[in-house]
Amino acid sequence: MIQRLLNFLDVSPVNFLAVKALADVLTKSGYRRLDPRHPLGNVAVGDKFFVTKNDSSIYAFEIGRKPLADAGFHIICAHCDSPTFRIKPNAEITCEGDIVKLNTEVYGGPIMSTWFDRPLTLAGRVIVRGEDAMSPVTRLLHIRRPLLQISNLAIHFNRQVNDGVKLSKQKDTLPLLGIVTEELERGNLLMNIIVEELSKESAVRHEDILDFDLYLADATPACTFGVHDEFISSGRLDDLSMCYAGLEALLSSPASDTTKVLAIFDNEETGSQTKQGAGSPFLATILKRIALAQSGTEEAFFQAVEHSFMVSADNAHAWHPNYSEKYDPTNHPVLGGGPVIKFNAAQKYASDAASAAVFAEICREAGVPCQRFVNHSDVAGGSTLGNILASSLPLRGVDMGNPILAMHSCRETGAVADHIYTVRAFTRFYQ
């Protein structure tokens, strides 16, 4: 199970590649890909299908044995985007010595210093000219070798570096790409790489590339470490580990009375207010279409919502042994202690006593330990998917996640046991 997770992390450097990887597994497991532009058709017990939005969010469904009006939906939602750096248009900047760096902008809230002095690569999607202006073709890009690096300034030029440095997003985080060796490369290094990489599958011409959504990604593979290999080290554990735990549970859980839903959103790290984010009505629209296809009445959808339960799966902060003062004295989950229910008095999380009790019982039935997290009252916390989704779908739900260290670092740390625990809990929930 852990090797499958590590493999998934390695082939999912950005949201677009994560969605492709999830779609590939679903397809091999018998799920049909539907085009939301077309009618859903008949919806029968046991039907398995999925849809995507923007190539960067994906929604999978298995229709339950009971009518939706009687059993509702069991929904696990997570997000596939992570903090990183986006490549700007006209990105090449040629410096002295014909050294080329790329112009970037920050996506989300990364710990920027952790991206320095490590091998990086490029991943994302490239938009290629199609049959007409309204039908461009999407090509996915993942360069599987170290290609770039953001280099630190030597300590000799900043003796106070270990006392803390304020980084400029525009000046300090621009990665080195290469050195121009031929005049034809000038201004074309990045585009030459893109054309060369895309042409490995099918030829593409420089002039046919219309635009791109490209991001930096850590080029070092995910791995386990520790005396007993008990820890996981990887970029994007937040929140790809929850995406994959949901997928494993969906595929391994037996048929049930309730319709199972796995919803993987994009753009959580920037507020979710996009057509592919949790703030979009897209999921609610698809669920309503399923209810209408099954029953022919809108009333069935509204009844289904009242029977439903949502698990908003987004990783939690593990207790850090070097910074215990940052944590609540009685609610600080530890690595390896099991999935974490998250609470917040300001309602940044969907959890309340009733929904937390449901998830805690699911964990107990699955033989899984369960922890609770509340922020230290003097430390501001973040928000996640649960309440944003509930603004368009008034679902009962809980916010939870696995405990990890160094959230939003280029490489985060989780526990092997927690991933296994969460898959078991999710499987029980779907069951």
Side-chain angles (χ1 to χ4, degrees):
M1 184 185 293
I2 298 303
Q3 189 58 54
R4 289 195 298 271
L5 172 64
L6 298 180
N7 293 343
F8 172 67
L9 291 165
D10 287 343
V11 299
S12 305
V14 293
N15 47 3
F16 306 108
L17 276 300
V19 166
K20 179 186 183 301
L22 294 168
D24 287 347
V25 175
L26 287 167
T27 300
K28 291 177 182 177
S29 302
Y31 283 72
R32 295 180 293 121
R33 183 172 196 148
L34 299 184
D35 188 335
R37 296 175 296 181
H38 302 154
L40 293 186
N42 294 327
V43 173
V45 172
D47 279 355
K48 300 178 181 181
F49 54 90
F50 68 94
V51 298
T52 64
K53 188 73 171 176
N54 190 52
D55 303 317
S56 64
S57 64
I58 186 167
Y59 313 85
F61 309 89
E62 181 182 334
I63 305 303
R65 290 185 294 247
K66 287 187 176 181
L68 287 169
D70 298 329
F73 303 98
H74 276 187
I75 304 171
I76 294 175
C77 57
H79 66 91
C80 60
D81 64 317
S82 301
T84 179
F85 296 84
R86 187 180 191 275
I87 307 302
K88 290 182 178 179
N90 306 312
E92 290 189 33
I93 301 173
T94 304
C95 311
E96 285 191 50
D98 284 332
I99 294 174
V100 176
K101 60 184 179 180
L102 294 185
N103 197 4
T104 63
E105 62 178 326
V106 173
Y107 176 88
I111 304 176
M112 294 193 295
S113 62
T114 63
W115 287 77
F116 283 57
D117 301 324
R118 65 169 67 238
L120 304 173
T121 190
L122 282 178
R125 67 177 177 180
V126 179
I127 309 302
V128 178
R129 182 173 285 110
E131 293 181 357
D132 56 60
M134 295 300 293
S135 306
V137 176
T138 297
R139 299 281 301 274
L140 298 184
L141 180 76
H142 181 192
I143 298 176
R144 303 286 193 117
R145 66 179 179 90
L147 182 67
L148 308 108
Q149 183 167 295
I150 304 171
S151 292
N152 258 304
L153 183 67
I155 194 172
H156 309 80
F157 300 121
N158 184 2
R159 296 288 184 180
Q160 288 74 46
V161 65
N162 291 322
D163 298 326
V165 174
K166 182 175 176 58
L167 295 172
S168 164
K169 296 176 182 178
Q170 182 59 66
K171 174 182 171 59
D172 297 320
T173 60
L174 307 187
L176 299 176
L177 175 63
I179 298 175
V180 173
T181 58
E182 300 177 10
E183 197 58 33
L184 288 176
E185 292 181 333
R186 194 173 302 279
N188 291 307
L189 271 186
L190 177 60
M191 200 58 68
N192 290 347
I193 292 167
I194 294 172
V195 170
E196 178 184 357
E197 194 69 23
L198 292 181
S199 293
K200 290 179 180 178
E201 294 185 6
S202 60
V204 62
R205 298 180 303 172
H206 187 294
E207 58 268 28
D208 287 334
I209 294 177
L210 303 177
D211 215 325
F212 54 73
D213 293 311
L214 294 178
Y215 299 85
L216 299 185
D218 184 14
T220 307
C223 65
T224 56
F225 72 99
V227 172
H228 309 291
D229 276 324
E230 61 266 59
F231 301 119
I232 301 172
S233 172
S234 175
R236 308 172 303 284
L237 283 176
D238 177 32
D239 193 35
L240 291 184
S241 61
M242 293 291 95
C243 297
Y244 204 70
L247 179 71
E248 291 259 359
L250 180 68
L251 299 182
S252 62
S253 58
S256 69
D257 292 340
T258 305
T259 292
K260 297 183 253 185
V261 182
L262 178 64
I264 307 300
F265 297 102
D266 192 12
N267 303 131
E268 190 275 343
E269 299 294 355
T270 56
S272 295
Q273 300 304 313
T274 61
K275 62 186 179 298
Q276 59 273 3
S280 163
F282 183 74
L283 176 60
T285 300
I286 294 292
L287 296 179
K288 183 180 289 188
R289 290 171 66 180
I290 293 172
L292 286 169
Q294 185 186 72
S295 68
T297 69
E298 194 173 39
E299 179 66 22
F301 167 70
F302 296 120
Q303 288 179 266
V305 169
E306 296 306 314
H307 283 292
S308 298
F309 195 91
M310 167 194 64
V311 175
S312 169
D314 197 358
N315 282 318
H317 297 295
W319 177 77
H320 196 305
N322 295 346
Y323 303 97
S324 59
E325 71 279 4
K326 295 292 185 180
Y327 296 83
D328 182 78
T330 60
N331 296 281
H332 47 265
V334 297
L335 291 171
V340 178
I341 300 172
K342 302 190 288 188
F343 295 89
N344 183 268
Q347 303 301 304
K348 291 184 177 181
Y349 300 134
S351 310
D352 56 25
S355 63
V358 169
F359 189 75
E361 277 296 283
I362 288 168
C363 289
R364 185 187 65 78
E365 291 177 1
V368 167
C370 183
Q371 307 183 84
R372 284 166 169 77
F373 172 82
V374 184
N375 264 0
H376 188 292
S377 296
D378 294 329
V379 177
S383 59
T384 184
L385 300 163
N387 277 348
I388 294 172
L389 182 59
S391 65
S392 61
L393 275 170
L395 300 162
R396 285 192 305 156
V398 64
D399 267 301
M400 57 73 62
N402 277 341
I404 64 171
L405 293 175
M407 187 179 289
H408 289 195
S409 171
C410 190
R411 286 187 80 86
E412 299 159 328
T413 297
V416 164
D418 291 328
H419 182 71
I420 296 171
Y421 286 146
T422 294
V423 172
R424 285 166 55 186
F426 284 179
T427 303
R428 179 62 185 163
F429 170 64
Y430 275 143
Q431 200 171 321

